[in-house]
Amino acid sequence: MKTNTEIQNAQIGTLIQEFTGQAVAFYDGMKEQPVCRPAKEATLEHLEKQTIPAEGRPVQEVYSEMLRDIYSNTILGQHPRSFSCVPSTSSLLSWMGDVMTGFYNPHASCQVNGPAAEMVEKKLINWMCSLAGYPKTSGGLFVSGGSMANLTALTAARDQKLTYEERSRAVIYVSGQTHASVAKGLHIIGFRKDQIRVIPVDSLFRMDITALRAAILNDREEGRIPFAIIASAGTTNTGSVDPMHDIASLCKEFDIWMHVDGAFGASALLSEKYREKLSGIEYSDSMSWDAHKWMLQTYSCSAVLVRKESTLVHSFAAHPEYLKDAETSEEGVEFWDLGPELTRPARGLKLWLTLQTMGSRAMGEVIDHGCAMAELTEELLQKTPGWEIISPAQLGVINFRYVPHGNTTPAEIDAYNQEISRKITESGFAQIYTTELNGQKVLRMCTINPRTTEKDICDTVNLLKQLASDENAEAVFGAKTQKEERCWHSA
Ligand SMILES: Cc1ncc(COP(=O)(O)O)c(C=O)c1O
């Protein structure tokens, strides 16, 4: 006689098999799905009313309900025509790794708990450090994302460069394009807003070195302590790479910690063609690198890398008495000594599966493809009257906008582009969001998904043209277009 648990386990097994088959088919046919699948009001109302039941329900019922009400109502960030934010590039291989790791659920905090898993994660970290050009003293840790990687590195920077007494006089340099997670991280580790210097950027949205030097000199003169410069290797808005060599020289000259936020762009180190753009990253003290952005991983797979592993140990090792038996030795470094987490999943294993199966060359080609798709977008838009390139294709990101013919005001142009974004996203064909550059609303495309084809780009640009054309403005936006001026006014 089977127990109730055995019966339920068998049902769960059947559902998992059913789900796996459906998921692979869904992945293969994703292009036929709309990119955005918003939840219906009725679905949200139904979920809102649900509570945690005192008595459980049949798993089949909960499974079907969750598929219908939750998983079917998400934006498909991994859709080949999802171009907003940093779209997910997650692959089936990464998902498979997630499933395997999730099942065995290793407590990847120390060697004793899973020596082989730890060895594999360490090998990956060492490989990433060597791609960055870091020396043998380097090390790092897989963390949940770029925000955590930045926070972890900034903590090490603070502890290496400042005494407790000096913290209130310290200053940090970012650019106007630095990701918001840096300011968030600095707030968490105790710095005030007025301790962050926002350095202007040049026409390609890279940190202006002359302004940076002047700010450092000024701060020193006024008795403050410049302690960290945050260089971006691939900004979120424009894919720009800050001048690494110049920043490294300033850091050397003034004994400042150089952190590179490579959450988005560090993966370009894998590309024969684009690696050179990151030249100088090897001089940094720390960097963040998200595998869940451009290395085909499902979420929660990022690395914080440091030039000297000991700098992380200095900030994070705790050695509580209840973990003594699990420590390899007094001197041995465990993953729990390198970051804020104790219990952590073995985030690197899915990346290992992906890289072992694909090889690093194919991963480099993923980067080349993403960059080529942004370059193609730029080429197509340049050929079409009315479209302005605001930031050219850089590391798979391009920004542009449509300027209707006539006496259109800046506010109207902003509203017009906002409307194009809304329309194309609502159409379900492609997802394109706006951002702001030079005080203007612009359309931004991040084209890093390796399953995005040239046809996807051409079709998307064609749809953009159709939505934006002056002639269609009235029909598309329902706005009053004056034939002579061909100008669209926001409602
Ligand atoms: C340049 C950059 N840094 C940091 C982050 C934050 O990464 P995460 O969302 O993984 O925390 C992002 C996210 O898009 C980013 O583009």
Side-chain angles (χ1 to χ4, degrees), residues 86 144-148 150 179 181 234-236 261 263-264 290 292-293:
V86 176
S144 59
S147 305
M148 275 306 290
N150 286 336
H179 192 267
S181 59
T235 60
T236 316
D261 181 356
F264 170 56
D290 280 5
H292 69 205
K293 288 196 165 51

Side-chain angles (χ1 to χ4, degrees), residues 135-149:
K136 285 219 154 43
T137 52
S138 59
L141 180 71
F142 281 100
V143 293
S144 59
S147 305
M148 275 306 290

Side-chain angles (χ1 to χ4, degrees), residues 8-26:
Q8 194 186 49
N9 285 352
Q11 285 171 347
I12 292 172
T14 309
L15 292 176
I16 289 173
Q17 281 178 17
E18 181 190 304
F19 178 75
T20 306
Q22 278 177 15
V24 173
F26 181 81

